[in-house]
């Protein structure tokens, strides 16, 4: 079925410019419209002042066009606003001052991604490296509690660019040697975040481009479970150095992890390694290990992908207590079995990153030993 061009323009007239609230078509913001064999492509040029809304507008355009009979594929070029060093959100050059972006992921919920993220970030920071921790789990932001920053409120600083224009930038919370940003800082405790795709896209864009991360050696991103809007938006906006996948040992978790790995592999994002969490419970009285969630799942995934297992983390009350208290176990008890697991995982992560770049910093184990 041929796509009716008039129907395309009628659909585009329903999409509003976020500043003037007039439709994009009447403002001549739609350019290079092409329709061929069900493939609709076009360009949109918003004003620089509306750059933060680009993701929202793109999503609205695609939602409007996909309803038209015969439309099979939609490509929207939102363009890139003029570069500005004082406002990465308006330049499209997100995280240009960050050496390595490491996302902690798993398509399975409840496997402990946030625990792993905060302890990896804290271990890296303990080496003297400059570290940021971004909580990208918009619906379930637990990082503020676990990082020791619950109740903190970010401030906004105003920067003036070379053209004399002022831009607002969010200052991340600094705690335990890390710069931390989370939706949890922006909503009241217990308040649900009931957002759909375009708003999620906008939030991620803001966290990447309108937070003053400064120069960082490592930015650890705690992803939500699944393979949805947040993951896709992240990969579209920035160059991710690599992914650390978290799993528990049982097969039901491994099935979801494989799905997540396949999604990142399809986008050519390197897999840095696997961390097996809640691997076993060691009896505090006799020391006997019980593999509550089976065993060897992390190694199974590592062997399948030919990537290292960065750590095997026990199911330990000390890790849970440290997270609830806001002091990651790697800082609260660095010489404990649990603390050393995370420090060694950070060291392996640093070594793994060295395979992709010579620009790596620190050694968590050496820092822990005071050497």
């Amino acid at each position: 079925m041929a796509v009716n061009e008039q129907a395309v323009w009628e659909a585009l007239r329903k999409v509003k410019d976020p500043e003037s609230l007039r439709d994009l078509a009447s403002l001549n913001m739609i350019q290079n419209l092409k329709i061929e064999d069900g493939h609709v492509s076009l360009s949109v040029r918003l004003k620089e002042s509306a750059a933060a809304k680009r993701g929202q507008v793109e999503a609205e355009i695609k939602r409007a066009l996909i309803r038209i009979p015969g439309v099979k594929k939609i490509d929207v070029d939102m363009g890139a606003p003029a570069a500005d060093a004082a406002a990465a959100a308006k330049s499209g050059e997100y995280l240009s001052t960050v050496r390595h972006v490491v996302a902690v992921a798993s398509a399975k919920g409840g496997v402990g991604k946030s625990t792993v993220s905060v302890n990896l970030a804290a271990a890296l920071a303990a080496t003297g490296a400059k570290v940021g921790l971004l909580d990208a789990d918009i619906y379930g932001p637990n990082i503020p509690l676990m990082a020791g920053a619950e109740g903190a409120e970010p401030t906004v600083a105003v920067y003036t660019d070379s053209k004399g224009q002022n831009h607002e930038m969010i200052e991340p919370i600094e705690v335990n040697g890390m710069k931390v940003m989370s939706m949890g800082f922006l909503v009241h405790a217990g308040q649900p975040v009931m957002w759909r795709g375009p708003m999620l896209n906008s939030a991620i864009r803001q966290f990447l481009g309108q937070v003053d991360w400064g120069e960082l050696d490592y930015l650890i991103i705690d992803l939500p479970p699944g393979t949805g809007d947040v993951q896709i938006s992240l990969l579209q906006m920035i160059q991710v150095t690599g992914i650390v996948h978290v799993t528990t040992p049982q097969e039901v978790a491994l099935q979801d992890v494989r799905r997540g790995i396949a999604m990142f592999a399809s986008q050519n994002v390197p897999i840095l390694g696997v961390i097996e969490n809640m691997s076993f419970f060691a009896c505090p009285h006799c020391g006997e290990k019980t593999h509550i969630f089976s065993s060897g799942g992390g190694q199974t995934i590592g062997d399948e992908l030919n990537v290292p297992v960065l750590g095997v983390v026990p199911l330990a009350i000390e890790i849970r207590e440290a997270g609830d208290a806001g002091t990651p176990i790697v800082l609260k008890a660095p010489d404990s079995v649990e603390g050393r697991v995370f420090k060694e995982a950070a060291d392996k992560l640093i070594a793994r990153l060295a395979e992709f770049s010579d620009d790596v910093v620190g050694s968590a184990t050496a820092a822990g030993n005071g050497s």
Side-chain angles (χ1 to χ4, degrees):
M1 176 185 296
V3 177
N4 185 295
E5 182 174 349
Q6 184 62 32
V8 170
W9 282 111
E10 289 177 0
L12 291 172
R13 290 189 182 94
K14 297 177 182 178
V15 181
K16 307 296 183 182
D17 169 51
E19 289 194 323
S20 67
L21 300 182
R22 294 172 59 193
D23 71 89
L24 298 179
S26 67
L27 292 172
N28 295 319
M29 290 183 172
I30 304 295
Q31 303 174 8
N32 304 318
L33 176 64
K34 296 180 181 178
I35 304 171
E36 185 176 358
D37 296 330
H39 180 190
V40 179
S41 63
L42 62 130
S43 302
V44 180
R45 295 296 179 261
L46 298 178
K47 294 181 179 179
E48 287 187 21
S49 52
K53 301 289 187 180
R54 289 164 65 209
Q56 176 181 332
V57 172
E58 179 180 354
E60 290 176 358
I61 290 173
K62 290 182 177 180
R63 188 182 303 114
L65 296 182
I66 199 63
R67 297 170 179 164
I68 299 173
V71 172
K72 301 175 182 177
K73 183 179 179 182
I74 303 167
D75 285 330
V76 181
D77 176 12
M78 296 301 298
D84 186 286
K90 292 189 177 183
S91 70
E93 296 178 0
Y94 297 115
L95 307 181
S96 60
T97 58
V98 178
R99 295 181 183 181
H100 299 287
V101 178
V102 177
V104 178
S106 177
K108 181 70 173 176
V111 298
K113 291 182 298 297
S114 296
T115 295
V116 169
S117 296
V118 72
N119 277 282
L120 279 180
L124 291 169
T127 71
K130 298 176 182 178
V131 178
L133 176 59
L134 171 58
D135 185 358
D137 192 346
I138 305 300
Y139 294 130
N142 301 128
I143 290 296
L145 170 65
M146 302 176 75
E150 189 176 34
E153 296 183 1
T155 58
V156 176
V158 178
Y159 294 86
T160 303
D161 65 20
S162 58
K163 300 178 182 178
Q165 296 179 326
N166 292 331
H167 305 281
E168 293 184 345
M169 297 290 284
I170 301 171
E171 299 285 346
I173 302 300
E174 297 196 30
V175 60
N176 288 323
M178 306 175 287
K179 292 183 177 181
V180 183
M181 190 61 208
S182 170
M183 181 59 69
F185 296 139
L186 306 179
V187 297
H188 296 296
Q191 178 183 346
V193 179
M194 297 182 291
W195 288 358
R196 301 183 71 178
M199 296 183 71
L200 289 175
N201 185 294
S202 179
I204 294 301
R205 191 180 296 276
Q206 185 175 37
F207 285 164
L208 296 175
Q210 290 183 270
V211 172
D212 186 14
W213 292 107
E215 291 190 3
L216 295 178
D217 298 307
Y218 306 101
L219 177 64
I220 303 297
I221 302 181
D222 178 28
L223 292 176
T227 55
D229 289 326
V230 171
Q231 288 84 351
I232 294 170
S233 295
L234 190 75
L235 296 180
Q236 290 176 338
M237 294 178 197
I238 62 172
Q239 181 68 44
V240 177
T241 309
I243 304 294
V244 172
H245 277 275
V246 181
T247 187
T248 45
Q250 74 271 37
E251 181 58 33
V252 69
L254 300 184
Q255 288 184 354
D256 285 344
V257 170
R258 291 185 181 99
R259 296 184 182 102
I261 288 171
M263 187 272 286
F264 288 110
S266 71
Q267 302 300 311
N268 298 316
V269 180
I271 309 302
L272 298 172
V274 177
I275 290 182
E276 181 179 292
N277 194 27
M278 293 180 268
S279 180
F280 60 86
F281 174 74
C283 176
H285 305 293
C286 67
E288 181 180 354
K289 294 181 179 180
T290 301
H291 295 276
I292 297 174
F293 298 109
S294 187
S295 63
Q299 190 63 59
T300 297
I301 292 293
D303 291 343
E304 290 177 5
L305 299 175
N306 194 28
V307 298
V309 176
L310 302 178
V312 176
V313 184
L315 178 63
I317 191 172
E318 292 82 3
I319 296 176
R320 192 273 302 167
E321 289 177 340
D324 285 351
T327 304
I329 190 69
V330 75
L331 299 181
K332 182 178 181 180
D335 294 323
S336 66
V337 171
E338 297 82 13
R340 293 197 66 82
V341 165
F342 283 114
K343 287 196 291 184
E344 291 168 4
D347 280 346
K348 291 179 181 178
L349 175 60
I350 292 170
R352 181 69 167 152
L353 287 168
E355 298 178 18
F356 296 90
S357 170
D358 293 330
D359 191 15
V360 294
V361 181
S363 168
T365 300
N369 293 334
S371 56

